[in-house]
Amino acid sequence: MPTTVVIGAQWGDEGKGKVVDYLSQKMDFVVRVNGGPNAGHTVINEYGEFKLHLVPAGIFNSKTISIVGNGVAIDPKILLGEIDDLNKKGISCQNLKISDKAHLILPWHILLDELQEKERGANEIGTTKRGIGPVFSDKVGRFGLRAGDFINEKEFSEKLFFSFNQAKNLLGEKLSFSFDEILRKILSQKTYLLSYITQTEFILWEAIARKKNILLEGAQGTLLDVDFGTYPDVTSSTCVAAGASQGSGIPPKEINEVIGVVKAYTTRVGAGEQPFPTEMPKEISSALREKANEYGATTGRPRRCGWLDAFLLKYAAKINGFTSLAVTRLDSLSGFEKLKICFGYRTKEGKPISFEQLSTSRLKEVQPVYLEAPGWQEFPKDCKKLSDLPKEARKYLGKIKELVEVPVRLISLGPEREQMLRV
Ligand code: IMP
């Protein structure tokens, strides 16, 4: 498995942190490739429970080099806080590297995120308010500041001044701090960050030449991708597998495996109004939310819960080229008498929608078509192999493979690292 990509197959929160932590044990390099501190990758292992926003989930393996790739937007304050927190819990960040091309989230990006959400009114996206939209706008607008800009302090302060004035034009009085205040603060953060910053693509090219195991860790999920997701209710980075190459500097031809992480049901978080065809009735959704603790790792917001949408998963499989699936949270589905799986859509008038007609940005106009699968009671305590699972759970996994047309190779049965079956 020299170069493997791990991608969320739904609307994020699929359990990528756990899958990456599990796979990292055999990895020489783990690279975060997109997003920013909007992500919250939950990892539970022998060191405790962590919610990683920027540091790759490979950090727990002392032999692994962890890289924050060029596709990630960094909030220096959050990153430094995370490093500090890890150090306090005995985890060394000595092997952490940050791409010099990763963009910096500046204080006004967060204010602009808040302002833009307000201006959207009823059409608000429900962003995480971490400044993601504005920082990636600046990146493609070619106004952004990158981690590598820290190296030349004079140039850095000139670029920062330009960015500050632009933000001032948009924010007016809302930008209440002075340029000098901000400059001083950022330069003090620079002192701590500089030792991690380097041209990470060169490190990765050498790793490829030496046939090292590399894992590319995607954030968010396919349906939040800025191109192929449920636009405009998406994030501002490329969450699909193609972005892993762009966000790390690894050429596409070097990627060997693409693992799609699929939660055994579906969740969505946002402003609350975004289309979600397989959303469960309120009572069932609330019960599952409480049982599975479906609250945002970054914002604490309650997640909406729904049945598994295999029609959208098939789309995710095509766009990412999944070579296998990791199904997570199967344990959270225990206790249902019957489960539903969506395998197609109809129009509101009842006309079937073919796969070729599926549009991820027109989900408001569709009705899901379900098959019913028998549920199961709690799993036996110590499941070590597939045959230890109740036959209904095995059938459910079989249906996923059949409908998505990709084999299931990993099954997560609980939050701990060891609660994972490889099949
Ligand atoms: P932003 O990425 O903060 O701009 O938010 C855009 C949309 O993506 C919102 O609906 C967020 O709730 C959603 N989102 C962003 N990051 C994540 C994530 O890591 N998990 C789930 N949803 C996310």
Side-chain angles (χ1 to χ4, degrees):
M1 54 151 82
T3 302
T4 304
V5 184
V6 170
I7 295 290
Q10 294 151 314
W11 276 289
D13 309 320
E14 297 91 353
K16 295 178 292 294
K18 173 173 174 182
V19 173
V20 172
D21 176 56
Y22 175 83
L23 294 172
S24 292
Q25 296 169 86
K26 292 215 171 95
M27 292 292 160
D28 302 302
F29 294 82
V30 175
V31 191
R32 255 290 298 275
V33 293
N34 74 296
N38 49 349
H41 291 178
T42 305
V43 176
I44 301 174
N45 57 26
E46 70 264 37
Y47 302 105
E49 179 169 344
F50 301 84
K51 291 191 193 306
L52 298 174
H53 300 291
L54 284 164
V55 174
I59 201 73
F60 303 101
N61 186 353
S62 59
K63 294 195 187 95
T64 306
I65 307 283
S66 291
I67 294 179
V68 180
N70 56 283
V72 180
I74 294 169
D75 184 323
K77 189 169 159 225
I78 293 179
L79 180 57
L80 284 171
E82 212 161 288
I83 293 172
D84 194 40
D85 196 38
L86 285 161
N87 283 334
K88 278 191 188 134
K89 289 177 176 156
I91 295 127
S92 162
C93 291
Q94 243 180 346
N95 286 341
L96 179 70
K97 314 253 176 234
I98 299 167
S99 167
D100 62 338
K101 296 170 189 67
H103 278 249
L104 299 175
I105 298 175
L106 302 165
W108 41 89
H109 289 137
I110 292 159
L111 297 175
L112 283 166
D113 196 355
E114 285 165 0
L115 180 72
Q116 287 167 1
E117 278 287 82
K118 218 178 198 173
E119 285 177 347
R120 282 189 188 103
N123 295 323
E124 79 174 303
I125 295 169
T127 72
T128 58
K129 310 255 168 65
R130 295 290 176 110
I132 300 299
V135 71
F136 283 112
S137 300
D138 277 5
K139 174 177 174 172
V140 294
R142 294 156 295 175
F143 308 117
L145 271 91
R146 310 200 291 182
D149 290 328
F150 274 142
I151 292 159
N152 184 329
E153 213 164 288
K154 185 169 171 289
E155 273 180 32
F156 182 85
S157 67
E158 282 165 12
K159 285 184 186 174
L160 191 73
F161 189 60
F162 183 76
S163 179
F164 174 85
N165 280 328
Q166 270 195 323
K168 188 93 194 153
N169 288 340
L170 294 165
L171 287 162
E173 290 310 303
K174 287 196 182 76
L175 185 54
S176 54
F177 25 72
S178 74
F179 174 73
D180 287 342
E181 249 178 283
I182 295 290
L183 181 66
R184 218 173 317 120
K185 208 165 172 185
I186 296 182
L187 290 183
S188 73
Q189 293 163 339
K190 170 202 120 164
T191 314
Y192 294 101
L193 285 177
L194 214 51
S195 62
Y196 300 106
I197 298 169
T198 184
Q199 297 203 79
T200 50
E201 67 274 29
F202 286 85
I203 297 174
L204 291 168
W205 296 337
E206 200 198 324
I208 290 167
R210 288 164 53 214
K211 304 240 174 318
K212 295 287 180 188
N213 287 328
I214 303 172
L215 192 142
L216 305 179
E217 176 184 358
Q220 287 82 46
T222 303
L223 297 169
L224 289 173
D225 179 80
V226 68
D227 287 287
F228 294 103
T230 46
Y231 194 89
D233 298 312
V234 293
T235 190
S236 299
S237 69
T238 298
C239 311
V240 296
S245 178
Q246 183 71 16
S248 64
I250 292 186
K253 76 177 171 76
E254 303 295 348
I255 291 173
N256 309 91
E257 277 192 50
V258 184
I259 301 175
V261 185
V262 174
K263 182 145 58 181
Y265 45 95
T266 316
T267 54
R268 181 157 203 193
V269 65
E273 300 298 326
Q274 283 80 23
F276 183 2
T278 63
E279 185 163 19
M280 292 162 166
K282 248 200 174 94
E283 253 172 56
I284 309 179
S285 172
S286 308
L288 182 55
R289 181 184 312 125
E290 295 315 312
K291 178 176 181 191
N293 192 26
E294 288 291 358
Y295 288 89
T298 300
T299 58
R301 292 177 295 178
R303 298 176 185 145
R304 298 155 72 192
C305 297
W307 303 109
L308 189 75
D309 192 331
F311 203 42
L312 283 179
L313 284 175
K314 192 171 153 185
Y315 182 85
K318 293 277 182 211
I319 205 79
N320 290 294
F322 291 147
T323 52
S324 69
L325 301 179
V327 175
T328 63
R329 297 278 192 153
L330 196 63
D331 54 309
S332 301
L333 275 189
S334 301
F336 279 92
E337 201 180 311
K338 283 206 165 78
L339 296 162
K340 289 184 183 188
I341 303 177
C342 166
F343 64 96
Y345 292 154
R346 288 185 198 284
T347 62
K348 292 238 156 88
E349 295 73 41
K351 252 177 82 185
I353 294 173
S354 70
F355 186 61
E356 290 69 30
Q357 292 168 321
L358 172 64
S359 162
T360 50
S361 35
R362 299 186 77 99
L363 296 187
K364 233 184 233 162
E365 298 151 27
V366 304
Q367 303 278 5
V369 185
Y370 292 111
L371 60 80
E372 268 193 357
W376 56 86
Q377 293 314 304
E378 296 300 319
F379 289 150
K381 253 204 156 67
D382 209 13
C383 290
K384 289 273 179 271
K385 49 189 188 311
L386 193 62
S387 56
D388 293 339
L389 294 179
K391 72 173 186 307
E392 294 83 2
R394 281 183 271 137
K395 258 196 176 156
Y396 190 79
L397 292 167
K399 271 284 160 220
I400 296 178
K401 178 188 166 203
E402 181 190 318
L403 295 170
V404 186
E405 298 172 12
V406 180
V408 176
R409 295 269 182 255
L410 288 173
I411 305 158
S412 171
L413 300 174
E416 313 273 334
R417 189 189 265 171
E418 292 69 35
Q419 292 174 296
M420 186 79 97
L421 296 183
R422 200 186 261 276
V423 293

